[in-house]
Amino acid sequence: MDLIIRRAMLPPSATSQHEQHKQHKEPVDIGIEAGRIVSVEPNLAASAHEEIDAAGSLVTPPFVDPHFHMDATLSYGLPRVNASGTLLEGIALWGELKPDLTQEALIERALQYCDWAVARGLLAIRSHVDVCDPRLLAVEALLEVKRRVAPYLDLQLVAFPQDGVLRSAGAFENLKRAIAMGVDVVGGIPHFERTMADGAQSVRMLCEFAAEQGLRVDMHCDESDDPMSRHIETLAAETHRLGLHGRVTGSHLTSMHSMDNYYVSKLLPLMRESGVAAIANPLINITLQGRSDTYPKRRGMTRVPEMMAAGINVAFGHDCVMDPWYSLGSGDMLEVAHMGLHVAQMTGVDAMHACFDAVTVNAARILGLEGYGIAPGCVANLVLLDARDPVEAIRLRAARLAVVSRGKVVSRAPAARAALSLEGRPAEVDFKLHRG
Ligand code: FE2
């Protein structure tokens, strides 16, 4: 074999959807050959060119970011910083930056971000790419990045009409050109159209286009604190009408935070019926929403545990890293899961595991990733974490000791350890509780 990872603890969701949240008790060995997992069993009787001893630590399928903006990432400070930190100044800033974008700079920043991602065990990203600039510079740049990173990272692109597919002249034609060039998914932003009616019309026409083309859909939907912004209802109804079940995602859905509870009790079964998935972006939602509130101040994140309980697939996205909207971030999906867990008050044991799933298996389902998981036949994409289980991984934002992509070790990092000397006794501190 090419590689064997010995004594790995697997997250409960990695192997069987039916045994969710029952931690596997015994460590296993994972055998890898020609970029695929070929066996997962205790005490694997085989040898390999390379062996890694996980020593009882967690080995997980890679992190998946289902919602990102790679055309804007790492542009922090260009041409100036977002002084107020608000969504509206961010959109204005992006407008100022756009005329100065060059393909070379876009590619360089995106590749740098992909390096950050790989080092964090993030091996699949769905990125929106703005199609409102008729030059489609960013589309060309990110298609080039997609080709270059393909040997080690799955990059899926969404044609995203940032300024509104109806509101921005020529945006629908640009979007169609982007799809013809190889962009994978149809995007939209109904709440940014001029009226609610225009927003609903944009959802209809974009879903019809996706159905004709056999494509997936992922719309920025209801990203506001307006309890009456209800494009998710139209998106779910259109998904049902056009038979797009399982291929459509509503991103953000922050208005659901503020909606009337009775209305939500009708909306959730509609979303479930149409198989629409949801993506919350906890870091961004908690910082950009509720900005016009005094106190009490709304959190703005959508209803994550309620949607999960209703049988809707929910994932967490990073959305932004060091761009006009967000000055922080480093491509760490454990940071995203950590924030989502806190904002949604998902502190029950099953709920904490569900937050780990939201940045792994649930997100992989939204992207439609082939061969995702830890079982014979799956693509050999794995992350060895300095943690024993998913909850500890979130708590510690655990170091990614080794990252394996297509069967090759692509990144290594040391464990986080501190050496202390207190009261004359030297000690190594690793932030875990060691109980027998
Ligand atoms: Fe976004």
Side-chain angles (χ1 to χ4, degrees):
M1 290 185 189
D2 298 325
L3 174 65
I4 295 175
I5 301 176
R6 302 264 182 209
R7 300 195 293 161
M9 297 302 287
L10 303 185
S13 53
T15 49
S16 166
Q17 290 293 313
H18 306 293
E19 301 223 357
Q20 288 251 334
H21 310 150
K22 286 184 205 147
Q23 179 79 23
H24 289 248
K25 293 277 187 291
E26 297 303 321
V28 292
D29 295 346
I30 304 166
I32 292 166
E33 210 167 71
R36 293 262 168 185
I37 295 171
V38 290
S39 61
V40 179
E41 58 189 72
N43 307 311
L44 175 61
S47 61
H49 296 303
E50 186 176 2
E51 298 209 359
I52 295 174
D53 184 8
S57 289
L58 182 68
V59 173
T60 174
F63 298 107
V64 178
D65 182 357
H67 188 111
F68 195 61
H69 293 265
M70 204 175 275
D71 49 357
T73 196
L74 307 194
S75 65
Y76 176 74
L78 298 175
R80 60 182 177 83
V81 297
N82 182 337
S84 65
T86 59
L87 173 61
L88 289 180
E89 188 175 343
I91 292 173
L93 193 44
W94 179 235
E96 290 170 39
L97 177 60
K98 266 200 266 191
D100 296 333
L101 290 176
T102 67
Q103 227 178 78
E104 295 69 31
L106 278 164
I107 290 171
E108 197 178 311
R109 287 198 290 267
L111 287 174
Q112 186 181 356
Y113 184 75
C114 289
D115 288 349
W116 290 14
V118 168
R120 296 292 198 189
L122 169 55
L123 296 182
I125 300 173
R126 174 182 277 184
S127 174
H128 296 254
V129 50
D130 190 352
V131 296
C132 286
D133 177 349
R135 298 172 300 168
L136 295 182
L137 264 187
V139 172
E140 281 181 12
L142 289 195
L143 283 168
E144 172 63 16
V145 171
K146 179 180 166 152
R147 273 190 292 277
R148 301 224 324 233
V149 302
Y152 55 89
L153 187 146
D154 291 304
L155 177 57
Q156 194 176 81
L157 299 177
V158 185
F160 174 47
Q162 168 83 69
D163 303 325
V165 73
L166 293 172
R167 191 173 190 168
S168 171
F172 197 27
E173 287 312 307
N174 297 342
L175 182 146
K176 289 177 178 169
R177 277 167 54 215
I179 295 291
M181 287 161 69
V183 170
D184 310 275
V185 179
V186 176
I189 185 162
H191 58 276
F192 200 72
E193 303 292 353
R194 288 189 179 89
T195 64
M196 285 302 232
D198 278 4
Q201 168 63 14
S202 78
V203 171
R204 269 192 294 277
M205 86 195 203
L206 289 164
C207 285
E208 283 172 4
F209 174 65
E212 271 165 40
Q213 301 282 317
L215 297 172
R216 289 174 188 265
V217 175
D218 187 340
M219 292 198 193
H220 283 66
C221 199
D222 302 322
E223 188 183 3
S224 76
D225 295 314
D226 175 4
M228 300 306 287
S229 184
R230 291 171 174 189
H231 297 300
I232 181 57
E233 179 185 85
T234 309
L235 185 63
E238 288 301 305
T239 301
H240 187 70
R241 178 175 75 87
L242 295 163
L244 291 169
H245 303 76
R247 286 160 51 195
V248 175
T249 300
S251 277
H252 289 292
L253 307 179
T254 50
S255 69
M256 285 181 71
H257 187 97
S258 300
M259 278 176 187
D260 171 71
N261 291 325
Y262 176 77
Y263 173 72
V264 172
S265 75
K266 183 183 160 217
L267 176 61
L268 293 179
L270 174 67
M271 290 175 69
R272 163 74 205 235
E273 179 191 20
S274 53
V276 167
I279 298 172
N281 296 297
L283 296 165
I284 307 309
N285 300 150
I286 195 73
T287 47
L288 292 183
Q289 302 305 314
R291 283 283 178 139
S292 56
D293 293 356
T294 54
Y295 288 93
K297 197 185 272 285
R298 283 169 289 180
R299 298 164 183 225
M301 193 167 81
T302 193
R303 304 191 187 201
V304 173
E306 292 78 9
M307 285 197 282
M308 287 177 168
I312 295 161
N313 184 30
V314 185
F316 291 153
H318 207 316
D319 202 5
C320 299
V321 170
M322 301 198 75
D323 68 10
W325 297 275
Y326 189 60
S327 313
L328 305 168
S330 67
D332 186 352
M333 294 308 291
L334 284 174
E335 188 185 352
V336 173
H338 189 268
M339 179 59 79
L341 183 156
H342 283 79
V343 177
Q345 301 179 325
M346 292 177 68
T347 46
V349 176
D350 285 354
M352 290 192 287
H353 278 91
C355 289
F356 189 84
D357 294 348
V359 293
T360 52
V361 286
N362 296 2
R365 270 175 64 203
I366 287 177
L367 269 68
L369 290 180
E370 181 269 327
Y372 181 89
I374 300 183
C378 289
V379 180
N381 293 335
L382 306 163
V383 184
L384 169 58
L385 291 162
D386 188 19
R388 290 165 300 192
D389 59 60
V391 174
E392 192 168 70
I394 293 174
R395 178 174 70 84
L396 297 172
R397 269 79 84 219
R400 273 120 272 212
L401 302 175
V403 180
V404 175
S405 173
R406 324 294 200 242
K408 293 198 179 77
V409 179
V410 290
S411 177
R412 284 181 188 270
R417 298 271 187 281
L420 299 183
S421 186
L422 296 171
E423 300 170 15
R425 53 183 176 88
E428 193 176 74
V429 176
D430 72 358
F431 311 103
K432 294 174 198 148
L433 274 180
H434 293 277
R435 287 197 180 117

